[in-house]
Amino acid sequence: MKILRIDNQGAFNGSVYNSKKELREALIYLHQKDMANDEDRKALKKWSLNEVCEMFDWDYETITDKQAKEIN
């Protein structure tokens, strides 16, 4: 099983990850610069995947390995 990242704004769809943990880490890395200060960046690193998705308008879907190959 793989995890498909979904951009609810439609700009960055199509990235596939091996796990929810990997997706969470990628989204945190992507949005660190959006945080106002170091304290907020530290807080972001503690957020769950669902919290990060909600804050920055992302979603995700579990897909099969076959579906992932079709996307890539």
Side-chain angles (χ1 to χ4, degrees), residues 5-68:
R5 182 182 71 192
I6 300 168
D7 180 354
N8 289 328
Q9 296 178 10
F12 297 102
N13 287 329
S15 293
V16 177
Y17 297 86
N18 292 316
S19 66
K20 290 179 183 179
K21 179 182 178 186
E22 187 177 284
L23 172 58
R24 178 185 165 273
E25 290 170 354
L27 291 175
I28 287 172
Y29 177 79
L30 179 67
H31 288 290
Q32 284 184 42
K33 65 184 181 300
D34 297 330
M35 304 309 282
N37 55 51
D38 287 340
E39 187 175 312
D40 289 345
R41 283 185 276 282
K42 283 182 183 179
L44 172 63
K45 291 178 182 180
K46 295 179 183 177
W47 291 2
S48 70
L49 173 57
N50 289 335
E51 289 170 322
V52 174
C53 287
E54 185 176 309
M55 178 66 169
F56 297 105
D57 207 17
W58 295 100
D59 203 354
Y60 60 91
E61 179 181 335
T62 302
I63 60 174
T64 65
D65 290 341
K66 182 180 177 183
Q67 289 171 310

